[in-house]
Amino acid sequence: MSNLDIHHFSVDQITHSSGIFSGTNAQSSFSSSTHINEGNGTITGERNRVEHNHHVIINFPNDQDDQ
């Protein structure tokens, strides 16, 4: 077993993360999952403007990403 001595640790932002553990601890059966639906499609050309967008996300029954 190795020992790691950390004198300073800071976190500015956590995204898509499940946890930060410090000190003497033990996690068992720890798991996480995430699902992100986002997007704007493709905008091509010159001088394009996108304003007042409305996004609709449709999850189909067999969508593999929903698991």
Side-chain angles (χ1 to χ4, degrees):
M1 181 177 204
S2 299
N3 289 326
L4 182 62
D5 189 16
I6 299 173
H7 296 281
H8 178 79
F9 182 81
S10 71
V11 177
D12 293 325
Q13 184 178 20
I14 299 174
T15 59
H16 310 294
S17 181
S18 298
I20 296 176
F21 306 98
S22 77
T24 304
N25 57 66
Q27 291 79 37
S28 63
S29 301
F30 190 80
S31 66
S32 70
S33 64
T34 184
H35 182 100
I36 299 172
N37 287 321
E38 62 184 350
N40 199 33
T42 302
I43 302 169
T44 59
E46 297 178 12
R47 295 178 154 177
N48 293 313
R49 293 177 67 163
V50 179
E51 297 177 349
H52 310 292
N53 296 6
H54 295 277
H55 299 273
V56 177
I57 298 170
I58 300 171
N59 289 323
F60 294 102
N62 294 328
D63 192 351
Q64 295 298 314
D65 291 336
D66 288 339
Q67 297 179 6

